[in-house]
Amino acid sequence: MRPCDETQPSATEPLLRTAEHHDVVAAPAGDDVDEHARKHLEYRLYTSHTLSAWNSRLFEFGAVLFLASIFPRTLLPMSVYALARSLCAIVFAQPVGAWIDRGNRLSVVRASIIGQRLPVAASCGILWLLECRLDSLAASSVVGVLALLCALAGAEKVFAMANTMAVERDWVVVMTEGDDAWRRAVNARMRRIDLLCKLLGPLVISITATASTQVAIGATVAMNVSSVLFEYICIAKVYWSVAALQNTAAEIRATQDPSASSMAAQVKAFVAAVVPISSFAAYFRHPAFLPSFSLSLLYLTVLSFSGQFITFLLSMGFTPFHVGVARTGSTMIELSATWVAPRLMNHMGPIRGGIWSLSWQMICLTFGLSLFLRDGFGADTKHTWTSVAGLILCIALSRLGLWGYDLCAQTIVQEEVGDGSRGAFSSVEASFQNLFELVSFATTIAFSRPEQFHWPLVISIAAVYVAGGLYAFFVRRRRGHLFHPPACLKAGAER
């Protein structure tokens, strides 16, 4: 492995081939041919990723919207639903990681596609039933139906997580092996797709729901089901176009060590998949632990345009139109990070790019907190419209640093985590991300009144500073310094 900050020359290797009857055909020599084949490969990967991200974002937001419409007088069903999704992601992250490391890559991703779509279809059927016949159902039946809905939501979350980890942390690494510039470009484009789906998916389903909740439910299930075959074919073409994707880590280990396929080894692997102690130990010892854990800490936040912050803004007198404009502006800034971060990494490398991105985020949030708290600190404080608007602006600007660091940290993990352990490493990271997300929910449960929002705000910013401190320690240990001193200071030190 090489240090992440060293710039390596691009070296396009003949990994691509056509897929006819699953025969491997080496890509013809020549840069023009390679570039043409690469564009076709990227098109299929982005198409599959777009369908996956679109349907996931659509259902994620739509389910909350549908529950709010079905149970307008209480937030309890929606809260339990969100809690169940996050808990399932934490519990099943390790088995999913082991499955990604040991399974056939195409089989894993195809299973994740089906595993997402079936729970969505079943959930939409249950939501339709609740929307049409809630008044005729007994209370015990409603509880049972909600429990089933939470189980389906957990299954959808787990398979969506499997798809994301497999494609972003494994397939992209193998596909772009030997070409760091291409890898960073693919990472940025896939993150751009995620953010666009995050913006447009909720918008589309919200507009549809204004006509009728039943129509919105039907549209959700129709889009999810109709895209399965196309996504299925696109990801298969990517798999059969890259010969290296067809070599699993389990096959490599079995070739190197015949005893790895013994019954004892299989039992040991099964136990490791269920009891993730060894994976956590390997995660904490890994050189990429601090960048990964710092990224996970950033999930402990209420400083995003999600349900918690939106609810606070509405309680402060902002209209849904104001919130929509603010959210759109924030997402546009997030999208700009997918252009800024790759250029930053090309200029100074992912390690230095990460510290610059986190520093920008900390500066923006500190300034926003100062504006918000200038009216006072306490339950009796009346925050002015300008103070809250200043906080909104600073949060939106901080998203440039957040997503810039996300891409830098992802690049570091991709370059330093070896084949055969990417799934295990990513699953532990996903567990921490969901755990910290649950803690953020707990902060707004403990401080549930709008006048207490300053406490979740302070806790969220403190988490960013802890993440920044941990990453600064990583940079100092890896590079020996945090910043390059000016030339005048260097000259003075030499004299």
Side-chain angles (χ1 to χ4, degrees):
M1 292 181 289
R2 59 186 179 278
C4 291
D5 259 11
E6 294 182 1
T7 303
Q8 299 289 337
S10 296
T12 304
E13 299 181 0
L15 294 175
L16 307 181
R17 65 175 179 80
T18 57
E20 293 185 8
H21 306 293
H22 298 174
D23 291 334
V24 179
V25 180
D31 293 339
D32 294 337
V33 176
D34 286 348
E35 187 65 26
H36 178 73
R38 176 182 288 189
K39 287 182 179 179
H40 276 283
L41 180 64
E42 287 188 24
Y43 170 75
R44 291 160 181 163
L45 178 68
Y46 298 150
T47 301
S48 174
H49 186 65
T50 299
L51 293 173
S52 178
W54 173 264
N55 286 308
S56 179
R57 291 292 187 181
L58 194 74
F59 177 71
E60 182 182 17
F61 184 82
V64 173
L65 198 66
F66 303 151
L67 285 172
S69 173
I70 295 168
F71 301 98
R73 298 180 182 85
T74 177
L75 294 177
L76 182 60
M78 187 166 47
S79 301
V80 173
Y81 181 87
L83 184 66
R85 291 183 85 245
S86 296
L87 284 176
C88 285
I90 294 173
V91 171
F92 293 102
Q94 171 59 24
V96 166
W99 179 38
I100 292 172
D101 284 338
R102 294 176 174 83
N104 174 272
R105 286 187 171 99
L106 182 59
S107 298
V108 168
V109 174
R110 280 180 163 178
S112 71
I113 294 171
I114 300 300
Q116 284 178 270
R117 300 298 181 264
L118 289 179
V120 169
S123 296
C124 287
I126 293 173
L127 289 166
W128 182 288
L129 173 66
L130 290 173
E131 174 69 18
C132 297
R133 303 186 56 186
L134 179 63
D135 295 336
S136 63
L137 295 176
S140 58
S141 299
V142 172
V143 172
V145 168
L146 285 176
L148 179 58
L149 195 63
C150 289
L152 291 170
E156 189 274 336
K157 174 73 172 180
V158 169
F159 282 107
M161 178 177 64
N163 187 283
T164 300
M165 290 195 304
V167 174
E168 293 186 1
R169 292 296 177 86
D170 185 35
W171 285 51
V172 170
V173 177
V174 174
M175 189 180 80
T176 60
E177 186 67 38
D179 194 337
D180 292 342
W182 185 25
R183 179 178 300 164
R184 292 168 188 174
V186 171
N187 285 338
R189 289 164 187 158
M190 292 182 71
R191 188 64 71 240
R192 203 171 297 148
I193 290 169
D194 291 336
L195 292 172
L196 281 171
C197 292
K198 175 185 175 182
L199 172 66
L200 299 177
L203 179 63
V204 168
I205 202 65
S206 297
I207 294 174
T208 307
T210 57
S212 168
T213 300
Q214 295 180 24
V215 171
I217 294 173
T220 300
V221 70
M223 281 188 276
N224 268 270
V225 173
S226 62
S227 64
V228 171
L229 184 60
F230 197 45
E231 183 180 354
Y232 206 82
I233 293 173
C234 284
I235 203 64
K237 287 185 176 180
V238 173
Y239 177 81
W240 293 116
S241 296
V242 182
L245 284 174
Q246 298 159 42
N247 300 321
T248 65
E251 291 171 349
I252 295 173
R253 285 195 300 268
T255 303
Q256 296 172 345
D257 181 11
S259 63
S261 59
S262 66
M263 180 62 69
Q266 293 178 14
V267 172
K268 184 178 179 181
F270 175 77
V271 173
V274 177
V275 184
I277 296 175
S278 60
S279 293
F280 276 92
Y283 177 77
F284 290 130
R285 291 194 303 265
H286 199 280
F289 158 65
L290 286 175
S292 171
F293 190 76
S294 298
L295 178 62
S296 299
L297 263 174
L298 299 181
Y299 281 71
L300 201 171
T301 185
V302 297
L303 303 176
S304 64
F305 288 89
S306 56
Q308 297 149 300
F309 189 57
I310 289 174
T311 301
F312 168 73
L313 293 179
L314 294 175
S315 71
M316 295 297 296
F318 287 82
T319 66
F321 174 76
H322 294 145
V323 174
V325 170
R327 179 173 180 171
T328 301
S330 177
T331 304
M332 296 305 294
I333 292 175
E334 293 173 356
L335 281 169
S336 70
T338 64
W339 279 279
V340 173
R343 288 165 174 77
L344 189 66
M345 285 188 281
N346 289 336
H347 178 67
M348 62 180 60
I351 293 180
R352 289 176 61 201
I355 197 68
W356 277 81
S357 298
L358 272 178
S359 298
W360 172 262
Q361 185 182 9
M362 289 187 285
I363 290 170
C364 291
L365 292 179
T366 300
F367 191 59
L369 179 65
S370 302
L371 289 174
F372 184 73
L373 296 182
R374 69 177 183 175
D375 298 326
F377 189 91
D380 298 330
T381 302
K382 301 296 183 181
H383 294 285
T384 62
W385 186 89
T386 54
S387 297
V388 181
L391 175 63
I392 293 172
L393 177 61
C394 290
I395 289 175
L397 291 173
S398 74
R399 309 296 283 181
L400 179 65
L402 170 66
W403 288 104
Y405 177 72
D406 176 271
L407 285 169
C408 290
Q410 179 172 323
T411 299
I412 294 171
V413 171
Q414 286 177 333
E415 293 180 354
E416 299 204 2
V417 179
D419 192 15
S421 58
R422 294 183 189 123
F425 186 94
S426 298
S427 67
V428 178
E429 181 186 280
S431 296
F432 278 115
Q433 290 174 356
N434 285 280
L435 176 62
F436 287 128
E437 190 175 31
L438 283 178
V439 175
S440 74
F441 292 146
T443 62
T444 52
I445 291 174
F447 305 102
S448 57
R449 297 196 301 273
E451 60 270 18
Q452 296 177 315
F453 189 74
H454 55 276
W455 287 114
L457 179 66
V458 169
I459 292 170
S460 299
I461 295 179
V464 175
Y465 269 89
V466 172
L470 290 174
Y471 188 74
F473 175 75
F474 166 78
V475 175
R476 179 71 174 79
R477 188 173 64 180
R478 180 66 65 90
R479 295 175 54 82
H481 57 269
L482 289 177
F483 66 95
H484 291 292
C488 59
L489 294 181
K490 284 184 177 180
E494 290 174 357
R495 288 197 300 268

